[in-house]
Amino acid sequence: QVQLVESGGGLVQPGGSLRLSCAASRSIFTSYVMGWYRQAPGKQRELVARLSPGGGTNYADSVKGRFTMSRDNAKNTAYLQMNSLKPEDTAVYYCNANRVCSGRDYWGQGTQVTVSA
């Protein structure tokens, strides 16, 4: 099993920055695709960023150039650096780990990001 714990959310003003962390209970990055998703009230959960074991990344068009996903293998932690935040970025952000060979998904509990003046 894999447990994921997000942290780093909070209230920021438009144009500000936050760095979200996703701590995994064990080493998984060599065999799992990591992802960040977000869900705003009344809206569908959407993919924000994805990081493959080989280092390839994908970003939603709405966050390209502003968000950067990374990982620290030694710390079993994935990150989402969010810059130039906009009110429309307000959502609960979830960390996801997807096992490459099976497609099995693991999810964190979510962390709230609120962008407001």
Side-chain angles (χ1 to χ4, degrees), residues 1 3 5-6 15 20 24 30 36 38 42-43 46 50 57 71 73 75 80 96 106 108-109 111 113 115:
Q1 298 294 321
Q3 286 77 49
V5 180
E6 301 100 331
L20 305 184
T30 58
W36 285 98
R38 67 186 182 187
K43 298 182 180 179
E46 64 175 345
R50 187 165 54 201
T57 55
R71 65 185 180 225
N73 292 349
K75 296 182 178 180
L80 183 67
N96 169 266
Y106 298 90
Q109 84 288 353
T111 185
V113 172
V115 185

Side-chain angles (χ1 to χ4, degrees), residues 1-8 19-29 34-36 69-80 93-97 106-111:
Q1 298 294 321
V2 176
Q3 286 77 49
L4 305 172
V5 180
E6 301 100 331
S7 62
R19 190 190 195 191
L20 305 184
S21 298
C22 173
S25 59
R26 62 179 178 87
S27 179
I28 61 172
F29 299 142
M34 302 302 298
W36 285 98
M69 188 174 179
S70 62
R71 65 185 180 225
D72 186 331
N73 292 349
K75 296 182 178 180
N76 297 325
T77 302
Y79 304 95
L80 183 67
Y93 284 71
Y94 297 91
C95 181
N96 169 266
Y106 298 90
W107 293 90
Q109 84 288 353
T111 185

Side-chain angles (χ1 to χ4, degrees), residues 50-61:
R50 187 165 54 201
L51 178 61
S52 298
T57 55
N58 289 286
Y59 298 95
D61 288 341

